[in-house]
């Protein structure tokens, strides 16, 4: 090959590499924006980040759920009731996915768990939209404290305020308000 062909080949490879790097950076920025939207409970901001549906997985609990975009917006409204704080502890990109260590606390978690829950998550994409969020590991999660406090709340509500029964399964804004009311009543029972 002549020198010009080799030079042209190297320049082409360089341009392609730069374009791929820009796409990689975009995914990292999209993931950061996603956690920012969750932190601010920005219902309108979530829609531009997701595909038409979102698969959520919790590997340790062998659980998965697919939300339509509308259902996920409703879940975000539920989450917003508890005034969440999401913090990115670590974030990086690997092979077209984003891996993050996330800390979350809110009024519900503070009551049930007594400290923030920290998870490792993997975000997958279709082009520039998020298709799935997988919680691969609970780094900080005390299952026994969480279950003990949840069961104590549910049993007390069942005996003293049965009109609120079912709040734990209602992941709508109304269900979130009932959940907060149940926690308030339980904490002020003395």
């Amino acid at each position: 090959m002549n020198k010009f062909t080799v030079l042209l080949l190297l320049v082409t490879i360089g341009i392609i590499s730069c374009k791929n790097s820009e796409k990689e950076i975009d995914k990292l920025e999209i993931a950061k924006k996603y956690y920012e939207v969750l932190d601010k409970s920005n219902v309108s901001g979530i829609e531009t980040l997701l595909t038409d549906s979102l698969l959520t997985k919790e590997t340790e609990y062998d659980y998965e759920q697919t939300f339509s975009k509308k259902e996920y917006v409703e879940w975000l409204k539920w989450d917003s009731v508890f005034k969440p704080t999401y913090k990115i502890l670590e974030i990086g990109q690997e092979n077209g996915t984003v891996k993050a260590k996330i800390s979350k606390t809110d009024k519900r978690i503070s009551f049930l768990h007594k400290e923030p829950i920290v998870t490792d998550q993997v975000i997958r994409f279709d082009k520039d939209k998020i298709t799935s969020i997988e919680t691969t590991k609970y780094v900080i999660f005390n299952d026994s404290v969480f279950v003990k406090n949840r069961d104590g709340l549910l049993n007390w509500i069942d005996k003293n305020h049965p009109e609120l029964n079912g709040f734990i399964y209602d992941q709508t804004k109304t269900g979130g308000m009932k959940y907060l009311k149940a926690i308030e009543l339980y904490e002020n029972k003395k």
Side-chain angles (χ1 to χ4, degrees), residues 2-70:
N2 67 31
K3 291 180 184 179
F4 179 74
T5 305
V6 171
L7 182 62
L8 185 61
L9 182 62
L10 290 174
V11 169
T12 303
I13 290 170
I15 290 171
I16 290 170
S17 296
C18 287
K19 286 185 178 181
N20 286 342
S21 294
E22 287 172 7
K23 288 180 183 177
E24 299 298 316
I25 292 170
D26 287 346
K27 288 180 180 176
L28 198 55
E29 290 305 313
I30 292 166
K32 288 177 183 177
K33 181 71 175 168
Y34 169 76
Y35 291 113
E36 179 184 316
V37 164
L38 292 179
D39 184 61
K40 294 180 179 177
S41 300
N42 180 355
V43 173
S44 62
I46 198 75
E47 295 193 38
T48 61
L49 301 173
L50 306 177
T51 55
D52 289 339
S53 63
L54 178 72
L55 173 64
T56 60
K57 289 183 176 184
E58 295 192 23
T59 307
E60 286 186 46
Y61 294 95
D62 194 28
Y63 175 81
E64 66 179 58
Q65 180 175 359
T66 301
F67 291 90
S68 68
K69 195 181 290 189
K70 182 180 176 183

Side-chain angles (χ1 to χ4, degrees), residues 1 91 98 108-109 146 149 178:
M1 279 197 256
I91 194 162
V98 172
R108 181 182 69 90
I109 290 170
F146 188 94
N149 290 329
K178 287 180 180 180

Side-chain angles (χ1 to χ4, degrees), residues 24-36 87-94 97-103 119-123 125 130:
E24 299 298 316
I25 292 170
D26 287 346
K27 288 180 180 176
L28 198 55
E29 290 305 313
I30 292 166
K32 288 177 183 177
K33 181 71 175 168
Y34 169 76
Y35 291 113
E36 179 184 316
K87 290 183 184 170
I88 299 172
L89 304 178
E90 295 174 17
I91 194 162
Q93 190 168 322
E94 188 177 298
T97 63
V98 172
K99 294 183 177 185
K101 183 176 299 234
I102 303 300
S103 170
T119 56
D120 286 338
Q121 297 185 337
V122 176
I123 301 175
F125 297 84
I130 297 171

Side-chain angles (χ1 to χ4, degrees), residues 94-140:
E94 188 177 298
N95 299 325
T97 63
V98 172
K99 294 183 177 185
K101 183 176 299 234
I102 303 300
S103 170
K104 179 186 179 186
T105 194
D106 60 26
K107 292 177 181 179
R108 181 182 69 90
I109 290 170
S110 293
F111 171 78
L112 295 172
H113 194 252
K114 306 299 183 199
E115 65 179 322
I117 295 173
V118 177
T119 56
D120 286 338
Q121 297 185 337
V122 176
I123 301 175
R124 291 183 175 77
F125 297 84
D126 180 10
K127 297 182 177 95
D128 63 344
K129 302 286 185 188
I130 297 171
T131 60
S132 72
I133 309 286
E134 181 178 358
T135 300
T136 57
K137 182 178 181 185
Y138 279 83
V139 179
I140 298 176

